[in-house]
Amino acid sequence: MEELEEEKEKKDIFESIWHFLASVKLAIFVLITLALSSIIGTIVEQKAEPAQNIALLAKFFGDSAAPSVYNIFAKLGFMDMYGSWWFTSFLVVFSINLIVCSVDRFPKTWRLIKTPQKPLSGNAIRSLPVKKELTFKAGLNTVKDEFLNGLKASRYHVLEATEENSIRLYTQKGKFARLAVYVVHLSIILIFIGAIVGIRFGFKGYLNLPEGSSSNVLYESATKSIPLGFYIKCNWYETEYYEDGDTPKEFHSELVVIEDGKEVLTKVIQVNDPLTYKGITFFQSNYGMMPNARGKFVLDITPAGGQEKRLRLDFGDVFEIPGTGIRGRVHDFSPALTRDRNTGRLTSYSDNMVNPAVAIEFMPPGGNNFVGWILKRYPETGIIPGGHSVKFADYWGVEYTGLQVSKDPGVWFIYIASIIMGISLYICFFISSKKIWVEITGDKKAVSVVVGGSTNRNRLNFEREIDKILAHVSQAIEGRSK
Amino acid sequence: MNSSVFFDISAGAYIAAMITYVIYLVLRNKTVGLVASGITIFGFVSQTAALIIRWINSYDFWMSSHPMSGFVEALLRGAPLRNLYESLIFFVWSIILAHILIEFKYKNRSLGAFVTPIAAMALLFIDISGTSKEIQPLIPALQSNWLLFHVLLSFLGYAAFGVSFGAAAAYLIMVTESKKEMPYIIGSVIIAIFIIVLVGMGIDFMSLSSAERAQLIQSHFLKASLRSDSGGVAAVSWVVAVAFILVVWQFGLRLKSVLGSLALTHTMLDEIEYKSIAVGFPLFTIGGLIMGAIWANSAWGKYWTWDPKETWSLITWFVYALYLHARFVGGWRGKRVAILAIIGFVAVIFTYLGVNLVLSGLHAYGSG
Ligand code: HEM
């Protein structure tokens, strides 16, 4: 006796926990909580320097209170909220809620789909949410045929049950659309799984590769490196600009994958077009200058009417334009040459290579040395007297390419789940599950008809559809009787 | 050819249409209604022409800097959805399109008085926010098809949410019996704040030099009124703002008798409110969240970073998910869900503009 009681109590507790976890009230509560706490996370800067957020908090709480408020907030995890234990817990509760709720309701929906539709009597039809009554001066079978036609024209597959003096028609459409919400919910869970797979089996990091150098690790933070399993090398990095002004047009780097001493893959990457090798993807993310680096001046030299020749020079090196006797020397360099508007002097307006220029001292055979600035972005500045051309192709070896590196085996999961979500959302909202019943009673001369139906959504549309079918049918019957 | 003439014509037409719709609401004269519809359609045609011209121009612009591009690539890169200005214009275009469709479907003009103001306000916002109208070169991160579809679908979704906002507002007015009802108070206060912020930005705009106007959103937001450095100006602004909220609350219900006498039923408004969300929700899920994530992944290798813009999209999504569940499973009806539809659209606006006004994110989008 006692034991049975206990058993029952246990079952009650289990049941009430289940009900709690399946309830939509809990879902509403969790959704509101997630939304509200997410707002906090967009106000407080995440993973930022404490000083930054203390300054922010000072605006709300005053200078004196800000540090202690900061400490409380930091303890609550607001400074790295989306990774905090309680935010994660809410996501877990959200998932459990979603799963339990769907499991709880699914059998009922499934039964609804699986139970065959039965014919209904006139009185039962009259109690449906949508109903219409009509009479016709026509025979039972005529009216039935026209209803069959009318419903078929609207793509209903109709069943019928015939009794004495009455015919019952019944039909339904889109019953499987009822499953779409479950698929929507499932796809949310799949996205979570994809995210977890990515966190568990993938990594994210960065790598700053100077031109010409290579690496077999990437960095998760300044102190933590992750081995790649192969070498990645940057041949060159380059920013391309739109002609007028300094809006960048494209950032690109040429990367080479080197495995076991062999070059296995070479690709010029750019933003939105990364390189992937063995599941590890290298994204063009930023770039910069290396401090105190000395690079090579890459010049393309063409004597008037002659062949182009590429030279790689150090600062101060002397070269000759072939066959002309004109010698040149790398004399000066500016990463971003401009003429100062006030003083008229040439200066650099940035430390980045926004408008790189090299000054060459030209030494023609007869003396009369002169210095010319040649701009990389404007090759026409390299034409010198005599029609010879010296193009400044690159100052190579001083820039690094900033790569975002990631391996995320969960991404495909997420993409597939997203597609599923898109399709099932569409079905869920735009395909209704509709049922229609008709009872026709009467004899060879006059009949009365009761039509009714139910739908799980878009009731007004459904009513319009029924009206249309009825109008169609009435017209056809009148047409026949003429 | 220059598109701005056509844009100006359409802007003028929408504002005229808004006024005419309101007159129609008051007079209930059929001719006035016809005129309002006519003006709206005229504005829509003009705006469509403007969009096409701008598209052609930015196609040429892209071709001139990328002569090696193919036709399709240049067409996609030139699509007029490339910055804040163009996206707002597209938003206005979509919401007017939705409005015209509804007018034809429901054979009812009254909703126009609630939807055209949203379009007019967006146009006003374009002018006073000082967003650049130039065709600008695309920076590398924005040269992506995913981004294009992301923006396109998001804004169609936003427009649908805008319609549901209009319907929910009209619905609230129709079913409210007394000014003291909570849903009505919340609704009227939100709408009043909406207008106050816009007017406040208008004042900012007028008080700034043209050089400063470019920075309006980032550094001068409401600095000429509510957030003024002068205590007096700020105090007066707050008093005026509060007074305005009270006025909207007090007189908003007057529209009720007007609405009631039209062929507009509250069931119809309720249906439009829901249906627009049913259209907007999948669009926003696929276009806003999913394609945004795909774009982020293809550009940076991270599909989700919890940056403020992403997070606010998610909050918006939660609000509309809440709407659907409250309505279909939680048994909420009528006024309570109408409030959710209104809050949802406020979240949309905040995602779209507020994040750039108040918070700063990693998205280059919307900063210019
Ligand atoms: C943000 C995440 C969610 C999304 C996007 C979502 C999506 C949807 C959609 C689109 C519908 C159909 C609504 C309609 O009939 O118009 C739905 C229905 C429903 N959802 Fe969710 N849902 C989410 C979270 C949840 C959670 C956490 C629960 C847990 C209780 C839940 C329980 C339900 C139930 C019970 C239904 C009704 C199913 C039916 O008609 O039989 N949903 N959901």
Side-chain angles (χ1 to χ4, degrees):
Chain A
M1 237 2 228
E2 195 103 304
E3 240 160 54
L4 215 72
E5 202 89 309
E6 228 164 66
E7 194 92 311
K8 195 163 164 246
E9 217 160 76
K10 255 193 213 154
K11 214 172 149 203
D12 281 349
I13 289 175
F14 177 78
E15 233 163 54
S16 55
I17 291 179
W18 178 268
H19 274 298
F20 172 70
L21 288 177
S23 74
V24 176
K25 282 221 178 74
L26 177 64
I28 290 177
F29 168 75
V30 172
L31 278 175
I32 292 176
T33 313
L34 282 175
L36 290 180
S37 54
S38 296
I39 294 177
I40 300 176
T42 63
I43 296 171
V44 179
E45 275 211 45
Q46 299 295 298
K47 297 186 188 170
E49 296 289 322
Q52 228 167 321
N53 276 322
I54 292 177
L56 179 84
L57 290 171
K59 285 186 195 160
F60 295 97
F61 301 98
D63 286 330
S64 53
S68 28
V69 175
Y70 177 86
N71 283 337
I72 297 169
F73 275 23
K75 285 234 169 64
L76 290 172
F78 286 174
M79 301 304 153
D80 182 8
M81 207 189 74
Y82 305 112
S84 72
W85 65 267
W86 59 266
F87 195 80
T88 314
S89 312
F90 270 111
L91 288 179
V92 171
V93 172
F94 175 82
S95 316
I96 294 175
N97 183 209
L98 194 53
I99 295 169
V100 172
C101 169
S102 298
V103 169
D104 191 52
R105 289 179 170 242
F106 185 79
K108 225 162 77 195
T109 309
W110 188 246
R111 240 177 286 134
L112 209 66
I113 292 173
K114 278 289 139 195
T115 316
Q117 194 189 3
K118 293 211 176 69
L120 288 185
S121 71
N123 279 338
I125 295 176
R126 281 187 195 96
S127 65
L128 289 171
V130 179
K131 65 230 155 197
K132 295 267 146 67
E133 300 201 34
L134 314 158
T135 54
F136 295 105
K137 292 241 174 315
L140 200 57
N141 280 320
T142 318
V143 173
K144 183 195 88 175
D145 287 345
E146 286 309 334
F147 266 97
L148 285 179
N149 287 341
L151 286 166
K152 218 178 266 164
S154 297
R155 306 232 187 95
Y156 282 95
H157 179 74
V158 188
L159 301 171
E160 53 179 289
T162 312
E163 276 172 44
E164 211 183 331
N165 293 337
S166 85
I167 298 176
R168 291 173 184 172
L169 305 178
Y170 54 106
T171 176
Q172 61 178 334
K173 199 158 82 174
K175 60 180 175 181
F176 286 106
R178 284 181 191 273
L179 294 179
V181 291
Y182 296 95
V183 183
V184 173
H185 291 157
L186 181 71
S187 66
I188 295 173
I189 298 296
L190 286 180
I191 286 177
F192 280 142
I193 295 176
I196 291 167
V197 167
I199 291 166
R200 181 72 187 72
F201 299 103
F203 53 73
K204 292 204 185 333
Y206 63 90
L207 179 60
N208 292 340
L209 263 187
E211 290 174 312
S213 65
S214 58
S215 166
N216 63 349
V217 292
L218 65 119
Y219 297 90
E220 210 168 58
S221 65
T223 49
K224 185 158 185 267
S225 67
I226 303 172
L228 277 172
F230 51 83
Y231 277 89
I232 186 94
K233 181 179 172 201
C234 171
N235 278 347
W236 48 260
Y237 166 78
E238 179 155 305
T239 313
E240 209 183 310
Y241 291 91
Y242 282 98
E243 248 160 51
D244 39 353
D246 292 335
T247 309
K249 181 170 162 184
E250 204 49 86
F251 308 115
H252 25 215
S253 325
E254 184 172 273
L255 300 184
V256 187
V257 175
I258 302 170
E259 201 167 22
D260 303 327
K262 280 194 292 268
E263 297 194 354
V264 291
L265 183 62
T266 304
K267 181 174 178 184
V268 178
I269 64 162
Q270 49 187 1
V271 181
N272 286 313
D273 185 16
L275 173 147
T276 302
Y277 185 70
K278 295 206 162 157
I280 302 177
T281 307
F282 298 86
F283 295 86
Q284 181 71 60
S285 139
N286 59 350
Y287 68 96
M289 298 284 282
M290 289 179 310
N292 308 322
R294 293 219 149 232
K296 295 274 188 198
F297 293 90
V298 183
L299 303 182
D300 287 331
I301 300 187
T302 325
Q307 285 276 317
E308 185 178 281
K309 194 174 145 203
R310 172 158 285 202
L311 296 178
R312 299 164 75 84
L313 305 168
D314 285 323
F315 202 84
D317 276 359
V318 175
F319 63 94
E320 190 183 311
I321 304 179
T324 62
I326 303 174
R327 293 187 306 145
R329 190 169 63 85
V330 180
H331 175 78
D332 200 358
F333 170 74
S334 160
L337 189 72
T338 191
R339 193 176 286 284
D340 189 297
R341 221 176 275 159
N342 300 321
T343 63
R345 286 227 192 94
L346 291 173
T347 57
S348 291
Y349 62 97
S350 164
D351 291 334
N352 282 323
M353 295 229 283
V354 184
N355 188 20
V358 63
I360 305 281
E361 183 179 21
F362 288 100
M363 298 168 280
N368 286 333
N369 295 2
F370 64 96
V371 172
W373 278 100
I374 302 175
L375 285 80
K376 183 172 166 220
R377 284 170 60 188
Y378 305 93
E380 64 279 7
T381 52
I383 313 277
I384 60 167
H388 317 300
S389 136
V390 177
K391 272 191 231 149
F392 180 26
D394 199 8
Y395 181 42
W396 182 87
V398 291
E399 279 177 298
Y400 65 82
T401 181
L403 301 173
Q404 188 77 48
V405 188
S406 77
K407 177 177 163 180
D408 193 338
V411 147
W412 283 107
F413 232 87
I414 289 189
Y415 282 180
I416 291 168
S418 301
I419 293 171
I420 295 176
M421 183 188 279
I423 295 171
S424 54
L425 270 179
Y426 176 82
I427 297 176
C428 174
F429 285 113
F430 297 108
I431 300 187
S432 359
S433 163
K434 296 177 280 199
K435 288 184 181 156
I436 298 177
W437 287 268
V438 183
E439 190 188 52
I440 310 168
T441 45
D443 50 36
K444 287 215 165 76
K445 291 206 195 93
V447 295
S448 59
V449 180
V450 192
V451 180
S454 65
T455 176
N456 66 338
R457 59 181 58 245
N458 288 339
R459 182 157 136 210
L460 291 186
N461 264 5
F462 181 59
E463 281 182 35
R464 272 182 223 123
E465 188 185 358
I466 293 205
D467 286 343
K468 224 176 80 192
I469 294 174
L470 289 181
H472 191 87
V473 169
S474 311
Q475 222 175 17
I477 294 173
E478 269 167 36
R480 268 194 184 202
S481 63
K482 265 176 198 158
Chain B
M1 220 182 344
N2 195 325
S3 58
S4 64
V5 180
F6 287 102
F7 278 133
D8 290 346
I9 292 175
S10 64
Y14 294 154
I15 290 168
M18 172 179 91
I19 297 167
T20 322
Y21 274 120
V22 173
I23 295 176
Y24 168 67
L25 270 192
V26 178
L27 296 183
R28 277 162 267 151
N29 176 319
K30 203 163 174 215
T31 321
V32 178
L34 270 175
V35 170
S37 303
I39 299 176
T40 311
I41 293 173
F42 171 71
F44 183 73
V45 170
S46 170
Q47 197 188 6
T48 309
L51 278 172
I52 293 173
I53 295 170
R54 193 171 171 99
W55 198 335
I56 295 172
N57 289 346
S58 42
Y59 172 91
D60 292 342
F61 187 87
W62 174 266
M63 270 300 189
S64 69
S65 54
H66 298 77
M68 308 294 281
S69 294
F71 173 73
V72 175
E73 185 186 358
L75 204 62
L76 290 172
R77 293 294 170 275
L81 290 169
R82 305 152 28 121
N83 54 29
L84 182 64
Y85 169 70
E86 291 179 337
S87 62
L88 273 169
I89 290 285
F90 181 68
F91 169 73
V92 171
W93 184 84
S94 344
I95 200 165
I96 294 290
L97 174 66
H99 160 63
I100 292 175
L101 290 178
I102 289 177
E103 199 172 293
F104 273 90
K105 179 157 184 211
Y106 290 88
K107 311 258 178 298
N108 192 304
R109 295 212 161 77
S110 332
L111 196 64
F114 291 83
V115 174
T116 42
I118 300 173
M121 280 193 202
L123 289 171
L124 211 62
F125 179 84
I126 293 174
D127 264 338
I128 63 182
S129 67
T131 51
S132 166
K133 296 179 183 175
E134 297 298 311
I135 294 178
Q136 294 149 335
L138 276 185
I139 61 164
L142 303 187
Q143 298 171 17
S144 152
N145 292 344
W146 287 115
L147 174 67
L148 179 65
F149 298 134
H150 166 58
V151 177
L152 182 79
L153 295 183
S154 300
F155 277 89
L156 288 175
Y158 289 170
F161 290 150
V163 172
S164 90
F165 169 81
Y171 176 87
L172 261 190
I173 291 175
M174 262 198 106
V175 298
T176 297
E177 298 295 334
S178 127
K179 286 193 285 267
K180 302 224 171 66
E181 285 177 27
M182 207 34 146
Y184 175 74
I185 296 176
I186 297 173
S188 59
V189 168
I190 289 175
I191 290 166
I193 291 175
F194 211 54
I195 299 171
I196 289 169
V197 170
L198 206 73
V199 171
M201 288 184 67
I203 298 172
D204 291 339
F205 182 72
M206 287 187 281
S207 69
L208 294 175
S209 69
S210 55
E212 289 166 320
R213 280 175 189 171
Q215 288 293 310
L216 180 120
I217 288 185
Q218 284 86 356
S219 17
H220 302 289
F221 182 58
L222 299 186
K223 276 286 187 200
S225 50
L226 298 171
R227 295 174 63 217
S228 173
D229 293 328
S230 138
V233 174
V236 171
S237 307
W238 278 102
V239 170
V240 172
V242 171
F244 180 74
I245 292 175
L246 288 174
V247 167
V248 171
W249 166 70
Q250 178 77 25
F251 295 104
L253 263 193
R254 295 277 169 93
L255 280 173
K256 181 184 158 99
S257 56
V258 175
L259 282 172
S261 61
L262 290 164
L264 207 59
T265 63
H266 64 87
T267 349
M268 188 191 282
L269 288 171
D270 189 55
E271 187 190 273
I272 295 174
E273 168 198 302
Y274 161 69
K275 276 206 174 154
S276 318
I277 291 176
V279 170
F281 192 74
L283 281 174
F284 180 65
T285 308
I286 299 167
L289 292 172
I290 296 178
M291 290 198 179
I294 296 178
W295 170 54
N297 193 44
S298 70
W300 297 299
K302 296 170 183 170
Y303 52 83
W304 194 262
T305 55
W306 291 105
D307 89 283
K309 197 108 185 168
E310 284 170 345
T311 309
W312 269 95
S313 312
L314 188 69
I315 293 168
T316 304
W317 195 64
F318 281 157
V319 176
Y320 283 108
L322 200 63
Y323 176 97
L324 293 172
H325 292 83
R327 181 173 184 131
F328 285 98
V329 205
W332 292 22
R333 283 277 177 267
K335 291 179 224 170
R336 283 167 95 187
V337 288
I339 287 294
L340 280 178
I342 288 176
I343 293 176
F345 193 61
V346 171
V348 166
I349 303 264
F350 198 86
T351 306
Y352 178 34
L353 300 172
V355 172
N356 301 99
L357 299 183
V358 187
L359 315 162
S360 61
L362 142 175
H363 285 217
Y365 213 74
S367 64

